[in-house]
Amino acid sequence: MLYKQIEHQLQQLVSEQYPDWPAHEVVIRVCPTAKFGDYQCTSLMGLVKRKGGNPREVATQIVDQLAERETPCAHIEVAGPGFINFRLNPQALEAALNDRQASHRYFVDPASPSRTVVVDFSSPNVAKPMHVGHIRSTNLGDCLCRILRFLGHKVISDNHIGDWGTQFGKLIVGWKRGIEDTALEGDALGEMERLYREINQLCNADPGILESARAELLKLQQGDPLNLEIWRQMIALSRAQFDEIYSRLGVRFDETLGESHYNDRLDALAGEMEGKGLAERSQGALLVFFPDEPELKDHPAMIQKSNGAANYTTTDLATLEYREKRWSPDEIIYVTDGRQQLHFKQLFSIYRRWTKGKGPKLVHTWFGSILGQDGKPFKTRSGDVVRLTNLLNEAEERARRIVEEKPELDEEQKAEIARIVGIGAVKYADLLPNRQSDYVFDWDTMLALKGNTCPYLQYAYTRIQSVFRKAGMTWESVASRAQTHLQAEEELRLGKHLVNFPLVLQLVMDEYRPNYLCSYLFELAGLLSRFYENCPILKADEPIRDARLVLIGHAGRTIRKGLELLGIEVSDVM
């Protein structure tokens, strides 16, 4: 990785000249303006200012010493108040591309040291169909897991499903009063949702039925065999339908440990909190106060209700404790919507007090909402929440209409391409915005073959495969006998962008923002278009022809891997 070589040399010089400085803070990034260079270091300037030095003088001194060492740069200069700009040597760039030609690492070296990371995402509720709101947590969490694994880290993906709580008393009442077996077989989650709505309305109208629901819940909590059997059946039916959706999305989990998994620990945990003075009683409830934290000062957290019942905070504390004991993670990432920000700030603060500042890094990776064309939360025309399975069905149906325009494809090919394009379009449109922003769901935009869309990127990959077919070659056959040579400006720009792939992945994980990868891939596709316009491939003479085939082969592999890390498939034909 060229940027890593430069960064390492820069950090090494800073360590030698200023041994007490945190040299690891000195990093390089892609230069925002290409005319100034390929990479830029601005972090040294901030470090020097913090230490009371003159940024430009220190930068000049470092650059002078870099000039005496062998670097992959053709030019290094100090700019402005103390920036350092680096321009790559074309020969070094060529060597980097050719060195990784046979590798499946795409210029990415495994992380050293490797970290253990738990990612908590998706988390649907038992007995409720997954809806459009689950797409963001599921996509984002899966993408982070894929990138972390690719970077060489150990990842545990945990689907913390909602499988416990007061709603099960009502559901058991409804189940015993008259579950419709035929409906349950056809759409278990739809039938359980209908059942819950019906019983909930009856509970509101009839205190006797509400009391029955409470009694059934108590029996469940006390281990009544029949209620436990009904509850387990609800979970099994729910998970079967969840798994159908996850299969369509290409999402997998290492663990699915629901809230019920931690029940046995909740009372003891609350007692321990109170015993250690971390929580105190207030009107019978057990609360944690945050007098020294301005943001939380007016928001105490309840960890036990006045009737002795636990809540989300109690369960999440027990979950944290379990994860630390079982996996000893370096980091735990929670992927939920922005409405839970207060909850996680409270949770993380309590856990830091409980563990006296020890334990893993805790991160709440939150996201905004999906909006309809009217700027309001995305719903059906009747005002209902959009079920996720219906959304995916419509995505494939709409993509199929586009694919039907390709008469040379058979029915099986059309169905497969429609699946890949439709599901990919939904995923990409969801990952493309800054995750903390709301975005408007628009079928026409996300399925367009122009602009920053998934079909545009999938087509860019397909076009590369088409070039190889017309050449009568495969990537392997060309790569085994030829290497790329960067002469034209468009070749150099494409090559520079390709070797920045690992830098972009690191930026994604630094801020938990897959939109950086989306932007990188869109820019790569744009550079390919300009390359095609200015650099003939099949009509070029040898060895230029093969060298350019190798270059677009690198680009195709990078697009495919980048989309794979976003959880998106590609097709050789479209």
Side-chain angles (χ1 to χ4, degrees):
M1 293 186 288
L2 294 178
Y3 89 94
K4 272 294 182 187
Q5 292 179 34
I6 301 168
E7 190 175 82
H8 176 72
Q9 290 176 316
L10 195 58
Q11 291 175 348
Q12 195 173 43
L13 277 171
V14 171
S15 292
E16 292 171 4
Q17 298 300 313
Y18 307 96
D20 59 331
W21 287 15
H24 66 275
E25 293 183 11
V26 179
V27 297
I28 69 168
R29 294 290 182 254
V30 175
C31 193
T33 307
K35 68 179 181 180
F36 295 134
D38 299 314
Y39 299 111
Q40 186 177 77
C41 174
T42 60
S43 52
L44 177 62
M45 186 172 64
L47 178 58
V48 175
K49 282 183 178 179
R50 207 167 74 225
K51 294 294 184 179
N54 183 305
R56 188 171 177 87
E57 287 181 5
V58 173
T60 301
Q61 176 191 7
I62 295 294
V63 167
D64 288 344
Q65 292 182 62
L66 272 175
E68 298 175 3
R69 302 190 179 192
E70 186 176 343
T71 73
C73 298
H75 186 64
I76 308 172
E77 66 175 2
V78 179
F83 300 156
I84 304 178
N85 293 329
F86 305 86
R87 190 169 298 281
L88 287 174
N89 183 316
Q91 287 71 41
L93 180 59
E94 272 187 15
L97 287 165
N98 295 328
D99 181 58
R100 295 302 177 95
Q101 201 152 294
S103 169
H104 293 284
R105 293 297 308 170
Y106 305 85
F107 317 109
V108 178
D109 292 326
S112 181
S114 174
R115 295 182 298 127
T116 299
V117 184
V118 176
V119 186
D120 178 326
F121 65 100
S122 194
S123 306
N125 289 315
V126 162
K128 291 183 180 180
M130 290 178 71
H131 56 76
V132 66
H134 288 103
I135 195 75
R136 299 213 77 179
S137 176
T138 305
N139 282 342
L140 180 55
D142 179 57
C143 176
L144 297 179
C145 288
R146 288 169 180 266
I147 294 176
L148 282 165
R149 288 191 180 105
F150 184 62
L151 292 176
H153 301 294
K154 178 183 177 182
V155 179
I156 300 100
S157 53
D158 188 358
N159 194 5
H160 186 76
I161 62 173
D163 64 353
W164 197 252
T166 56
Q167 74 271 23
F168 286 100
K170 295 178 181 179
L171 281 164
I172 291 172
V173 168
W175 192 285
K176 290 180 176 180
R177 283 171 64 95
I179 191 77
E180 295 182 8
D181 292 336
T182 302
L184 199 64
E185 289 176 10
D187 179 10
L189 287 172
E191 172 61 6
M192 285 187 276
E193 184 180 42
R194 179 198 67 77
L195 206 63
Y196 180 77
R197 287 179 177 175
E198 181 180 298
I199 297 301
N200 200 42
Q201 289 176 354
L202 291 174
C203 286
N204 291 335
D206 187 341
I209 295 179
L210 178 60
E211 190 57 39
S212 296
R214 289 170 178 162
E216 295 290 3
L217 177 64
L218 181 61
K219 287 167 64 178
L220 173 65
Q221 292 170 337
Q222 292 175 339
D224 176 78
L226 177 58
N227 282 15
L228 279 173
E229 176 58 31
I230 293 172
W231 172 71
R232 290 185 182 119
Q233 193 172 350
M234 289 179 186
I235 293 174
L237 290 167
S238 299
R239 286 190 58 178
Q241 287 195 247
F242 296 160
D243 288 345
E244 285 180 14
I245 291 177
Y246 293 137
S247 177
R248 294 180 71 179
L249 293 172
V251 174
R252 69 176 181 85
F253 293 94
D254 299 302
E255 298 284 353
T256 301
L257 300 175
E259 295 169 1
S260 63
H261 182 77
Y262 308 97
N263 282 344
D264 294 344
R265 175 69 177 122
L266 302 185
D267 287 341
L269 187 151
E272 184 177 328
M273 287 286 184
E274 187 174 16
K276 291 185 175 181
L278 298 171
E280 57 187 86
R281 294 284 170 185
S282 177
Q283 299 180 346
L286 192 59
L287 305 178
V288 176
F289 294 90
F290 308 91
D292 301 323
E293 299 180 58
E295 197 173 6
L296 300 177
K297 188 175 182 180
D298 298 326
H299 301 283
M302 181 184 296
I303 59 171
Q304 192 177 63
K305 299 177 183 178
S306 57
N307 64 0
N311 63 3
Y312 286 124
T313 304
T314 331
T315 302
D316 280 349
L317 284 167
T319 305
L320 263 171
E321 178 187 51
Y322 174 87
R323 287 169 173 167
E324 185 173 3
K325 287 181 177 178
R326 181 173 177 187
W327 296 305
S328 301
D330 300 288
E331 183 175 4
I332 301 176
I333 302 170
Y334 294 83
V335 186
T336 77
D337 68 59
R339 292 172 296 178
Q340 297 190 43
Q341 290 179 78
L342 176 61
H343 167 72
F344 282 103
K345 287 174 182 175
Q346 292 173 327
L347 177 70
F348 295 172
S349 178
I350 296 169
Y351 194 71
R352 281 192 295 269
R353 290 194 218 172
W354 190 20
T355 60
K356 298 180 180 178
K358 298 178 182 178
K361 175 183 177 183
L362 303 176
V363 179
H364 180 210
T365 300
W366 62 272
F367 50 83
S369 302
I370 304 175
L371 307 178
Q373 296 291 324
D374 57 1
K376 298 177 181 178
F378 185 47
K379 294 187 177 181
T380 64
R381 290 180 181 177
S382 62
D384 295 327
V385 176
V386 178
R387 289 183 63 169
L388 187 49
T389 187
N390 294 339
L391 183 80
L392 299 181
N393 289 343
E394 185 168 356
E396 291 190 33
E397 289 166 7
R398 286 176 176 264
R400 179 63 185 256
R401 292 174 210 161
I402 299 170
V403 176
E404 286 294 347
E405 300 173 8
K406 298 283 186 178
E408 68 273 16
L409 301 174
D410 61 36
E411 291 303 305
E412 187 176 341
Q413 284 178 310
K414 288 178 181 178
E416 179 66 0
I417 293 169
R419 181 189 67 80
I420 291 170
V421 172
I423 302 294
V426 170
K427 284 190 164 194
Y428 190 83
D430 189 64
L431 295 169
L432 176 61
N434 178 334
R435 61 175 168 79
Q436 294 175 338
S437 301
D438 298 339
Y439 77 91
V440 174
F441 192 93
D442 185 330
W443 285 115
D444 291 338
T445 299
M446 69 175 61
L447 285 166
L449 280 168
K450 294 182 179 180
N452 195 352
T453 68
C454 188
Y456 173 71
L457 295 178
Q458 289 170 323
Y459 178 73
Y461 174 80
T462 300
R463 186 176 179 184
I464 292 170
Q465 306 319 301
S466 176
V467 173
F468 273 95
R469 285 195 297 273
K470 289 176 181 177
M473 299 180 186
T474 63
W475 158 257
E476 290 76 15
S477 64
V478 175
S480 66
R481 70 165 191 252
Q483 293 186 325
T484 192
H485 298 287
L486 307 175
Q487 297 176 334
E489 182 61 31
E490 290 76 17
E491 292 173 316
L492 284 165
R493 288 178 182 172
L494 191 53
K496 289 174 181 178
H497 196 70
L498 288 169
V499 297
N500 286 338
F501 186 54
L503 180 54
V504 171
L505 296 184
Q506 190 56 57
L507 284 174
V508 171
M509 292 316 308
D510 285 346
E511 300 182 30
Y512 313 96
R513 297 187 189 277
N515 58 294
Y516 292 152
L517 178 54
C518 296
S519 297
Y520 170 86
L521 294 173
F522 178 60
E523 188 176 346
L524 175 54
L527 290 169
L528 265 172
S529 293
R530 289 188 283 279
F531 170 80
Y532 292 139
E533 291 169 4
N534 295 280
C535 301
I537 301 174
L538 299 182
K539 293 181 180 180
D541 296 328
E542 294 294 3
I544 295 175
R545 179 174 178 268
D546 279 2
R548 287 178 175 171
L549 281 170
V550 170
L551 185 58
I552 66 166
H554 278 304
R557 296 166 80 227
T558 304
I559 291 173
R560 182 180 62 197
K561 175 54 69 173
L563 288 174
E564 179 188 314
L565 295 176
L566 294 173
I568 295 169
E569 297 175 69
V570 293
S571 173
D572 285 351
V573 293
M574 270 182 70

